[in-house]
Amino acid sequence: MTSEPVRKTIKVIELFAMNDKAETLASISRKCDIPRATASRIVTTLEQEGYLRRCKNKSYVRNFYLQKKMSLSEEYLSILEQILEDIAEKSEQSGEAIFIENSQLYWLSKKESKNVAFRLKAHAGFRRPLYELDAPSRLGLAAMGWETVRKQFDTSAFFEAGKSRNSVSKSTLKEQLQTTSLTDVQYDIEGNIRGIRRFSKAIFDKNGQFVHLLCIAEAAISVHDVHEHIEKNKNLLNQAVKKLSAFLHSEQNQ
């Protein structure tokens, strides 16, 4: 049974979660379609709990971040874990499922091969800003779209992957993201600033909405046959994404 007071509170929270714009009681009441007295009670409680901050002009701004994730079933997450283990075993490296949450890369899960020679810092629950333009950052940002990136990020703060940390201009960033293929595996042989390279592929739902990244992570060391190594990792990711996408789309059709 739906709780009407809770529903109204969620509407107010979602209003503030959309951006950093200040809102008055009048605008909250209007935009959330709730009585002004109700808006006042909700806002007062959120302010007292530290989620809102009152400005001098009697408007309010948020003091929190909220992002509603796509609901993934237990069955999908179970298959995802199995596939990550399979990727780790066949690549003898690490398989990762990376989401984008609050404008950061968020590691939902990671499986390491028993034979991996280099232990990664990233683990389940690890977060990293998107400003270093390695493969997962480029692919995640490209999936967001340029207009979203332009509004949500400091476009002067992006830099190239690797030790050089060369800054990337706004025009170059836009070109990079707009020319990044959302259906191909993205990778960097040279690795990122921590000496890690990732092969990354995006998963989309049946409506074309970005869900998460599937990655192979490894130390950026030289390999005997670079072309063979690239093709092996690309094939592993393509096969894995095909399985996950098929299951996800079948669930959505039910």
Side-chain angles (χ1 to χ4, degrees):
M1 182 177 179
T2 302
S3 169
E4 191 63 18
V6 173
R7 188 186 67 81
K8 291 175 180 176
T9 301
I10 291 173
K11 290 177 73 173
V12 174
I13 291 173
E14 289 181 336
L15 172 63
F16 280 97
M18 292 173 62
N19 53 55
D20 291 315
K21 182 181 178 182
E23 300 285 355
T24 65
L25 285 177
S27 67
I28 295 168
S29 174
R30 184 182 70 256
K31 293 178 181 179
C32 296
D33 191 26
I34 59 178
R36 183 162 176 164
T38 302
S40 178
R41 289 195 297 271
I42 293 171
V43 165
T44 298
T45 301
L46 292 174
E47 181 189 11
Q48 290 174 348
E49 295 298 323
Y51 289 93
L52 296 180
R53 179 170 55 84
R54 188 174 183 177
C55 304
K56 292 181 179 180
N57 62 355
K58 296 184 179 180
S59 63
Y60 297 84
V61 294
R62 70 177 178 178
N63 189 38
F64 69 93
Y65 289 97
L66 173 71
Q67 184 170 337
K68 190 175 183 180
K69 291 182 181 177
M70 175 183 173
S71 177
L72 295 174
S73 69
E74 291 184 13
E75 290 81 4
Y76 179 87
L77 294 175
S78 177
I79 291 175
L80 175 60
E81 291 294 298
Q82 294 172 19
I83 284 178
L84 288 175
E85 290 179 357
D86 187 55
I87 288 174
E89 179 183 349
K90 291 180 178 178
S91 68
E92 295 188 308
Q93 301 297 336
S94 294
E96 303 173 319
I98 304 177
F99 286 65
I100 295 178
E101 183 178 88
N102 293 332
S103 300
Q104 291 184 313
L105 294 174
Y106 170 76
W107 272 251
L108 178 72
S109 183
K110 184 189 78 170
K111 300 295 181 184
E112 278 187 341
S113 166
K114 295 178 181 178
N115 300 322
V116 70
F118 186 85
R119 301 291 173 182
L120 304 179
K121 179 181 178 181
H123 53 80
F126 182 77
R127 297 174 186 273
R128 199 200 84 188
L130 284 151
Y131 286 102
E132 183 181 10
L133 294 172
D134 60 351
S137 287
R138 291 197 309 274
L139 191 50
L141 291 165
M144 287 184 187
W146 172 246
E147 286 304 311
T148 299
V149 172
R150 182 180 63 82
K151 293 175 182 177
Q152 292 188 6
F153 296 86
D154 177 0
T155 54
S156 66
F158 289 91
F159 57 96
E160 294 176 352
K163 296 180 180 180
S164 64
R165 294 178 65 94
N166 292 326
S167 61
V168 174
S169 68
K170 182 177 179 179
S171 59
T172 301
L173 173 67
K174 180 180 180 180
E175 182 181 3
Q176 273 197 33
L177 299 186
Q178 291 183 334
T179 57
T180 295
S181 172
L182 297 178
T183 57
D184 291 339
V185 174
Q186 301 294 325
Y187 59 90
D188 302 290
I189 289 299
E190 297 304 318
N192 62 23
I193 196 171
R194 288 157 290 279
I196 302 300
R197 62 176 167 234
R198 285 183 169 86
F199 293 76
S200 305
K201 189 171 175 69
I203 293 177
F204 298 89
D205 67 16
K206 70 172 186 177
N207 299 315
Q209 295 299 308
F210 172 74
V211 181
H212 67 85
L213 300 172
L214 201 65
C215 301
I216 294 174
E218 60 186 24
I221 57 178
S222 60
V223 292
H224 177 67
D225 189 325
V226 176
H227 178 74
E228 181 181 355
H229 185 73
I230 292 172
E231 290 304 307
K232 175 185 176 182
N233 284 347
K234 287 173 66 175
N235 287 335
L236 284 174
L237 286 177
N238 283 327
Q239 292 171 15
V241 168
K242 185 177 180 180
K243 292 178 183 177
L244 284 169
S245 298
F247 184 83
L248 179 62
H249 297 179
S250 67
E251 278 194 322
Q252 292 178 302
N253 287 328
Q254 293 177 5

